[in-house]
Amino acid sequence: MLPGERSSVAALAALDDELRRGMYEFIRRARRPVARDEAAAAVGISRKLAAFHLDKLVAAGLLCAHFEPVGGIRKVGRTPKVYEPTRTDIRVSIPPRQHDLLADILLDAVLTEGERETAAQAAMRVARERGHQLGTAERQRNRPGRLGVERALTRSEEVLAAHGFEPDRETPTCVRLRNCPFHPLAARAPELVCGLTQAFLSGFLDGLHARTTDAVLDPRPGECCVALVSAPRRAAAAEPGSTS
């Protein structure tokens, strides 16, 4: 499960209660700040019980609360607490999916396609650029420099796990990616989507300065079509004292 999906699970759990769900739907439809009394009346419960459930929705990240005069009219006494929906998207996918990343790559490809590029070439370029940005950011967070096979694969496992690839060290020099974050779209256009995945991961390794490791196409049923493997000749060349 991706880190952001944990909060989505908590939000969905909060909505499992019928009263909370009813108040949440009422507040979303209102499209304005809603006070506790109004939310309570919408589902037929007391103001005190409504306050309990509304605070649960706030804690789950579904609502935000602040104090504001109802209807914009200032009255004598305490300013009431009002609730509005947050802009949080709630998405949970098991296994993890990254359709927004794929859509972002394709959108950027459309917007930046060059005169001498095909649409597919533009998409491959953007996918590699996005991967390179990810790898560069990871390298800058840690010690820069070229990585040997072991460290390159370990760092790749750590980062790609957070992006839903479910990496698994099959051998000391090969990391299999047990989940395809772009499924089922990969099943509809495997040549395009698998090519974009390889370009993204190649760019990632390049940005990471993992010169000893390649992203290669190695499709297997039910898994990502790309594996990360050591590049023997370059690995040997990268060893200290090597003259190759």
Side-chain angles (χ1 to χ4, degrees):
M1 183 176 295
L2 302 181
E5 290 186 334
R6 296 189 183 98
S7 59
S8 293
V9 169
L12 289 174
L15 291 173
D16 189 49
D17 184 276
E18 185 177 353
L19 293 174
R20 289 177 203 160
R21 187 166 61 253
M23 284 190 289
Y24 177 71
E25 291 172 351
F26 174 77
I27 292 170
R28 281 195 60 84
R29 290 195 302 269
R31 298 189 176 275
R32 57 175 172 76
V34 174
R36 288 174 177 174
D37 289 339
E38 191 178 0
V43 295
I45 59 176
S46 70
R47 182 181 186 278
K48 184 176 181 179
L49 183 56
F52 170 79
H53 287 301
L54 289 168
D55 288 344
K56 289 288 187 181
L57 292 171
V58 170
L62 290 162
L63 297 179
C64 58
H66 59 277
F67 292 93
E68 177 182 304
V70 178
I73 301 174
R74 182 77 179 186
K75 296 182 179 180
V76 177
R78 187 177 178 182
T79 303
K81 194 174 188 179
V82 296
Y83 299 85
E84 294 182 271
T86 64
R87 296 182 179 273
T88 302
D89 289 333
I90 302 173
R91 290 180 292 174
V92 177
S93 176
I94 302 174
R97 301 299 182 214
Q98 289 280 327
H99 296 153
D100 53 344
L101 173 59
L102 181 59
D104 201 35
I105 288 171
L106 295 175
L107 180 61
D108 256 15
V110 172
L111 295 175
T112 66
E113 183 181 337
E115 293 183 1
R116 298 184 179 182
E117 284 184 312
T118 65
Q121 289 170 339
M124 296 296 174
R125 170 180 54 79
V126 173
R128 186 176 183 87
E129 290 171 353
R130 290 302 177 87
H132 193 278
Q133 291 169 4
L134 178 64
T136 299
E138 173 62 19
R139 176 171 52 84
Q140 291 174 345
R141 279 194 293 268
N142 296 276
R143 186 172 59 187
R146 293 188 178 185
L147 303 176
V149 173
E150 173 60 30
R151 188 61 183 141
L153 292 177
T154 299
R155 291 269 287 277
S156 298
E157 286 179 289
E158 294 168 355
V159 176
L160 297 180
H163 284 74
F165 283 94
E166 297 183 354
D168 177 37
R169 186 74 69 93
E170 187 174 66
T171 72
T173 58
C174 175
V175 171
R176 293 293 314 182
L177 305 175
R178 302 301 184 188
N179 179 56
C180 173
F182 304 140
H183 187 81
L185 298 176
R188 291 182 56 192
E191 184 174 347
L192 173 62
V193 178
C194 291
L196 291 174
T197 305
Q198 184 185 25
F200 176 81
L201 294 174
S202 294
F204 165 73
L205 293 171
D206 190 35
L208 194 62
H209 283 186
R211 311 299 192 197
T212 61
T213 308
D214 284 335
V216 300
L217 287 173
D218 186 15
R220 294 183 186 178
E223 298 184 6
C224 178
C225 53
V226 179
L228 307 184
V229 299
S230 67
R233 292 182 182 178
R234 281 186 282 161
E239 292 296 327
S242 173
T243 58
S244 59

